[in-house]
Amino acid sequence: MKKSIYDLNMDYLILAHELINSGQEQEAMVCLGLTPEYVALLYKLPIQQLRELARSDVLRFAPRLSVDRKSMDLTSKHWDIDGSEQHARELRSIVSRQVNRS
């Protein structure tokens, strides 16, 4: 598991570093969820320090997962949906309709 987390962290940090160093700071902030402070910090870090950051038992970034019916069909028979998940799905649907009305 540690190797997998290291690989994820390293891939993320290298991508962020490359975007920032190629002048695409805005893309790094929007696509990767970086703050201006992290952009400034990552800009200065050499690869060796990125490797040190990646060595951790935790992810160094927060995945931003969203429920998108176009990319993941929650009503598919491949998913086991218990009562609480069904309730959450119904609430998301109601909130989505309310947001679309405003």
Side-chain angles (χ1 to χ4, degrees):
M1 179 88 163
K2 287 183 181 183
K3 173 83 169 102
S4 297
I5 292 175
Y6 172 81
D7 290 342
L8 285 170
N9 282 334
M10 200 63 211
D11 288 345
Y12 176 83
L13 290 168
I14 286 173
L15 176 59
H17 197 255
E18 288 175 355
L19 285 172
I20 293 164
N21 287 326
S22 68
Q24 299 177 47
E25 295 92 352
Q26 283 298 118
E27 187 172 345
M29 288 190 285
V30 172
C31 295
L32 301 177
L34 296 175
T35 64
E37 294 81 16
Y38 279 112
V39 168
L41 176 67
L42 288 173
Y43 179 76
K44 299 174 187 179
L45 290 181
I47 294 294
Q48 184 56 37
Q49 284 186 305
L50 293 179
R51 287 188 188 113
E52 291 298 319
L53 276 175
R55 286 189 188 105
S56 174
D57 289 339
V58 297
L59 289 176
R60 291 295 180 178
F61 61 95
R64 295 181 294 170
L65 304 173
S66 63
V67 177
D68 181 2
R69 288 183 185 251
K70 294 176 187 167
S71 64
M72 182 181 354
D73 183 9
L74 291 177
T75 61
S76 170
K77 63 183 173 186
H78 301 290
W79 293 86
D80 275 336
I81 299 177
D82 67 11
S84 61
E85 289 179 23
Q86 178 68 29
H87 183 68
R89 195 177 77 204
E90 290 170 2
L91 285 174
R92 281 192 299 272
S93 176
I94 292 168
V95 169
S96 174
R97 286 192 300 254
Q98 294 296 325
V99 168
N100 289 334
R101 288 181 190 165
S102 22

